[in-house]
Amino acid sequence: MEFYLYLALFAPLAGSLFAALFGASPKTIVAGLVPSILLFVSFVSSTVLLVHILSGGAVVHVEMMTWMATGDLYIPFGFVVDQVSVTMMMVVTVVSTVVHFYSIGYMDHDKGFNRFFSYLSAFVFSMMVLVMSDNFAGLFIGWEGVGLCSWLLIGFWYHKESATWAANEAFIMNRIADLGMLVGIFLVYWNTGTLQYEQAFAAMPSLGTDILTLMGIFLFIGAMGKSAQFPLHTWLADAMEGPTPVSALIHAATMVTAGVYLVVRAHPLYDLIPNVGLFIASLGAFVALFAASMALVNRDMKRIIAYSTLSQLGYMFVAAGLGAYWVALFHLMAHAFFKALLFLGAGNVMHAMHDELDPFKMGGLRKVMKGTFIMMTLASVALAGIYPFAGFFSKDLILEVAFVEHHYIIYTVLLFTAGLTAFYSFRLVALIFHGEERYKLFGIHPHEAYKFMLVAMSPLLLLAIIAGSFKMSYFEMVTQVLPELEYHIHHPVTFWIMTIGTQLFVIAAIIFAYRKYANAKVTVPDGTSKIENRLCYKVLSNQYYIPYAYEEYVVKPYRELSTVLWKQVDMKIVDATVDGIAGIIYGTGEKTRDMQSGNLSTMLKWMVAGTVGLLSLAVVFGLAVRYSAEIKAILSGLGV
């Protein structure tokens, strides 16, 4: 099985390096096709490893080589394929393979075609390193790798100022969080003497609650940044400046799911500090509602789906925080399929609408984009959690966990959020595909995407429909590593009332969205309607003014302080000191340059002056030696 482990891990790297060979060349189809095929090879290898684990095979654990060995510190390049990591491997490779083949069509006319596939495959490789490493150091390498690749991909169209700004925002905000994570890793090593998962987690029960709490908090700070949890969330929506396949990959299979994976992987630590777990769950519930509320009024198609991702990440953290780690991982897996499908469908709509993102300028696209319409509608059904789609099983489990654990406030928040999710999801579908053909007012002539792009998306559609049916077999597999927490409501009647009630609430939200946006005459908002001038609408459309607050009270003061330090300290003190020393040396050189003029009479004068100076020094030195006793007596008399 080691061969398949290496193949799954390094096939994306090989694809990235191959595409990089053509980086500066005009578009070359093999630069996209070969990395896509290699991603499929990685998927097949991951599938073989999954079958091995499902059939009761031993965990595959390899140490490729020693990375660092000094004193008591030993860090190998070690990788492990167990029930948790193989789940993430399958999610990453399935979505990444689809995104790669889809991108061949999406990036068809882009000048950076070759470069794009090099970055994209490197992104996948970094994520595979993150989920397959058997120690915190290896996880951190992959963690920083996805951060770097996200910067490259979000800012892929670097000629756009908005893209470079968004890339820098994502990179800097994640570096802030990563400092916290690094402190957490240092605490793990300092107190356990190792960074290997198995040994570190085995040593933690003997540690004090205070130090364990610090470990859990600092590690979660890293997860907050990577998974865009409040208050480090603003970069996620701005990351939509990158190409749409990048958005699908970041939001579905890589990067933002890394924070959830970290908490799930470190479950032996969080089991020991339930108070931190409750904080994680509470924050997750807040973020779920917080993000969903912003999606209600947004007029950017990709940002609406991005806020949906942020909201669903909140659901995952609720499950993980309450100790239902396998439920969090199950929702992560199910969510990846329909969320990637939504983003790729949005990419089709963008191409059809000449990069227009405002759904109010669309309408009636189902007539010309039947395939995309069906896929995005079914993906929205799965996102809303309608039976029997995947989202129903995973989201319903999270609601059930919150209810059974008596966290009724969290349960109520998540239930209300489920209704909001259904509303904004079908608000988007209704505005894009139903109603009047408003795009004609803007002279746009839409068209369906290439057929092979729709074919590439079809596996995601299938998984979005059937993934929930894997619930029990998945539970049996993953609980060999994670705690066996299968929740059941003691009264079946209560369970059915909850389930049916949730379904009716969600369906009512969908009907309301359709009645408001699908059939009625929808006009393009221009800022003059009553609803647009209401305080609530303005607050939500401006993201609760949090980006404004960051700009006014963090970025601007920091910029002004930096300007003062630059002009008053750096230029007037540091630079002035360095320049002054250089000026003295340069001036001395200027004045003594005549010594090397080559003029015989000038050189003779300098020789005579030098001789006189040396003789004078010799006389002074001789007199000082001769009368040293008298000089000391005189100095002592003067009190020196």
Side-chain angles (χ1 to χ4, degrees):
M1 289 293 115
E2 290 186 17
F3 171 75
Y4 292 105
L5 183 151
Y6 288 128
L7 198 59
L9 177 62
F10 289 110
L13 177 61
S16 176
L17 296 175
F18 179 84
L21 296 175
F22 303 91
S25 306
K27 176 197 168 184
T28 308
I29 190 65
V30 294
L33 194 59
V34 171
S36 302
I37 293 172
L38 287 171
L39 250 297
F40 181 74
V41 171
S42 181
F43 159 68
V44 172
S45 300
S46 299
T47 304
V48 172
L49 291 166
L50 174 65
V51 172
H52 169 73
I53 295 294
L54 284 172
S55 61
V59 170
V60 183
H61 190 187
V62 300
E63 289 189 5
M64 191 169 66
M65 64 182 74
T66 298
W67 176 36
M68 191 179 297
T70 174
D72 295 331
L73 177 63
Y74 174 70
I75 304 175
F77 277 115
F79 302 97
V80 63
V81 177
D82 61 6
Q83 289 78 0
V84 173
S85 60
V86 79
T87 300
M88 292 298 297
M89 289 167 64
M90 288 300 299
V91 171
V92 171
T93 54
V94 167
V95 176
S96 300
T97 301
V98 169
V99 169
H100 270 70
F101 280 105
Y102 173 90
S103 298
I104 294 174
Y106 188 88
M107 301 297 290
D108 185 35
H109 302 294
D110 198 286
K111 294 180 180 179
F113 182 89
N114 304 341
R115 179 168 56 92
F116 177 81
F117 280 92
S118 180
Y119 294 168
L120 202 65
S121 290
F123 198 6
V124 179
F125 170 68
S126 298
M127 189 66 186
M128 294 293 279
V129 170
L130 190 158
V131 301
M132 294 176 68
S133 291
D134 68 348
N135 61 81
F136 282 103
L139 178 142
F140 191 72
I141 292 173
W143 195 273
E144 295 305 304
V146 295
L148 171 62
C149 293
S150 68
W151 178 76
L152 293 170
L153 287 165
I154 294 169
F156 181 77
W157 290 316
Y158 53 83
H159 55 277
K160 293 170 55 180
E161 185 178 352
S162 58
T164 56
W165 189 91
N168 289 336
E169 180 192 21
F171 191 80
I172 292 168
M173 196 163 284
N174 274 275
R175 297 295 74 70
I176 294 170
D178 291 351
L179 177 61
M181 181 181 176
L182 202 56
V183 172
I185 292 175
F186 282 144
L187 287 173
V188 170
Y189 175 72
W190 187 264
N191 290 278
T192 65
T194 180
L195 291 177
Q196 299 295 114
Y197 293 145
E198 190 174 350
Q199 292 92 326
F201 294 143
M204 285 180 182
S206 62
L207 300 177
T209 303
D210 291 343
I211 193 64
L212 290 173
T213 300
L214 286 175
M215 285 182 194
I217 290 173
F218 280 110
L219 288 176
F220 182 65
I221 289 173
M224 287 172 63
K226 199 66 72 182
S227 293
Q229 296 296 283
F230 179 87
L232 303 174
H233 65 281
T234 56
W235 70 266
L236 191 65
D238 293 332
M240 296 302 97
E241 290 291 337
T244 303
V246 174
S247 303
L249 204 54
I250 289 177
H251 287 247
T254 62
M255 189 139 177
V256 297
T257 59
V260 179
Y261 170 77
L262 173 61
V263 175
V264 172
R265 176 57 77 183
H267 72 273
L269 167 61
Y270 288 102
D271 280 341
L272 299 171
I273 44 175
N275 288 337
V276 175
L278 181 59
F279 168 76
I280 293 173
S282 301
L283 180 64
F286 167 75
V287 170
L289 179 59
F290 173 72
S293 65
M294 292 187 287
L296 292 175
V297 300
N298 201 276
R299 288 179 53 185
D300 185 309
M301 175 175 57
K302 287 176 66 177
R303 282 176 178 264
I304 292 170
I305 303 174
Y307 286 132
S308 170
T309 298
L310 185 54
S311 182
Q312 296 306 306
L313 287 167
Y315 275 88
M316 297 174 205
F317 278 116
V318 168
L322 296 180
Y325 304 102
W326 78 270
V327 176
L329 203 58
F330 185 57
H331 189 51
L332 184 157
M333 176 181 67
H335 171 263
F337 302 138
F338 53 74
K339 185 51 59 68
L341 186 60
L342 274 173
F343 268 114
L344 297 183
N348 292 348
V349 174
M350 279 185 66
H351 266 201
M353 294 293 297
H354 307 303
D355 293 333
E356 178 58 60
L357 288 167
D358 188 350
F360 282 91
K361 296 181 180 179
M362 301 177 189
L365 286 178
R366 72 182 188 278
K367 297 176 183 178
V368 293
M369 302 184 70
K370 293 181 180 178
T372 301
F373 162 63
I374 292 171
M375 289 187 175
M376 288 193 71
T377 301
L378 293 178
S380 297
V381 171
L383 174 60
I386 300 295
Y387 179 85
F389 287 74
F392 165 79
F393 293 95
S394 57
K395 192 182 293 185
D396 194 65
L397 279 171
I398 297 173
L399 290 169
E400 186 179 336
V401 168
F403 188 86
V404 172
E405 288 294 288
H406 308 296
H407 295 289
Y408 299 119
I409 295 177
I410 292 177
Y411 170 79
T412 304
V413 169
L414 295 184
L415 179 61
F416 182 63
T417 302
L420 297 184
T421 302
F423 176 81
Y424 69 68
S425 297
F426 282 90
R427 167 182 177 264
L428 185 63
V429 171
L431 286 171
I432 294 174
F433 297 107
H434 297 277
E436 296 181 347
E437 298 166 343
R438 296 179 296 279
Y439 58 83
K440 291 181 178 179
L441 300 174
F442 304 95
I444 298 174
H445 303 283
H447 55 84
E448 183 60 281
Y450 296 133
K451 288 185 178 180
F452 82 86
M453 294 170 67
L454 297 177
V455 172
M457 294 165 61
S458 58
L460 296 177
L461 176 63
L462 178 64
L463 289 168
I465 296 171
I466 69 169
S469 61
F470 304 146
K471 184 179 103 172
M472 292 313 300
S473 57
Y474 174 76
F475 168 78
E476 293 172 1
M477 179 192 78
V478 80
T479 50
Q480 296 177 40
V481 175
L482 300 178
E484 295 184 11
L485 297 173
E486 186 177 12
Y487 291 88
H488 291 291
I489 295 177
H490 299 298
H491 301 288
V493 176
T494 305
F495 168 76
W496 284 110
I497 291 174
M498 286 173 53
T499 303
I500 295 172
T502 302
Q503 290 288 288
L504 291 175
F505 180 50
V506 168
I507 292 171
I510 293 173
I511 294 172
F512 179 63
Y514 261 100
R515 291 191 64 179
K516 185 172 179 60
Y517 295 104
N519 299 318
K521 185 176 181 180
V522 177
T523 58
V524 180
D526 58 2
T528 60
S529 65
K530 290 183 179 179
I531 190 171
E532 290 176 276
N533 288 300
R534 289 176 182 171
L535 178 61
C536 182
Y537 184 95
K538 289 184 176 181
V539 169
L540 294 178
S541 61
N542 286 284
Q543 305 173 58
Y544 292 91
Y545 292 97
I546 292 173
Y548 172 81
Y550 285 173
E551 178 68 24
E552 290 295 319
Y553 303 114
V554 178
V555 176
K556 283 187 177 179
Y558 182 81
R559 186 186 296 122
E560 291 172 2
L561 176 62
S562 300
T563 301
V564 171
L565 293 175
W566 165 48
K567 291 182 176 180
Q568 303 300 324
V569 178
D570 193 49
M571 293 185 67
K572 292 185 176 180
I573 298 178
V574 178
D575 284 0
T577 302
V578 174
D579 292 344
I581 295 172
I584 292 171
I585 296 173
Y586 184 81
T588 304
E590 281 288 318
K591 292 178 179 179
T592 58
R593 186 175 295 171
D594 290 343
M595 295 173 62
Q596 300 294 329
S597 65
N599 186 285
L600 182 60
S601 60
T602 301
M603 295 175 70
L604 285 172
K605 289 178 183 179
W606 280 108
M607 288 176 64
V608 171
T611 302
V612 171
L614 289 173
L615 289 173
S616 300
L617 287 173
V619 170
V620 171
F621 181 75
L623 290 173
V625 172
R626 174 69 179 79
Y627 298 103
S628 60
E630 290 80 353
I631 293 172
K632 288 180 181 179
I634 293 170
L635 292 175
S636 62
L638 295 173
V640 178

